[in-house]
Amino acid sequence: MKTKTLYVKDAERIGISRFPNFHKTGSIAGMKKLYYGKNALLVRCGSWIYNVSSEPEVYYNIAH
């Protein structure tokens, strides 16, 4: 499943900790199927994957 990667310094700037998250060892497909929906926008930062669907500009403004 597709996620974008966010550097920790950028994550602190945008306040990534306010978004729902799960550990990187969790199932992206499972979380999308059970909780977030198939079109969820997910961003990985460190050991965590965050659902930023409520603010899509976070996902689309990541350069990589």
Side-chain angles (χ1 to χ4, degrees), residues 17-35:
S17 62
R18 61 194 159 108
F19 296 103
N21 63 73
F22 60 99
H23 196 264
K24 68 180 182 179
T25 59
S27 169
I28 293 174
M31 292 302 285
K32 282 186 166 190
K33 182 179 179 183
L34 294 173
Y35 299 106

Side-chain angles (χ1 to χ4, degrees), residues 48-62:
W48 299 95
I49 299 173
Y50 297 86
N51 177 8
V52 297
S53 298
S54 62
E55 294 184 30
E57 62 274 6
V58 172
Y59 183 84
Y60 293 115
N61 288 332
I62 296 174

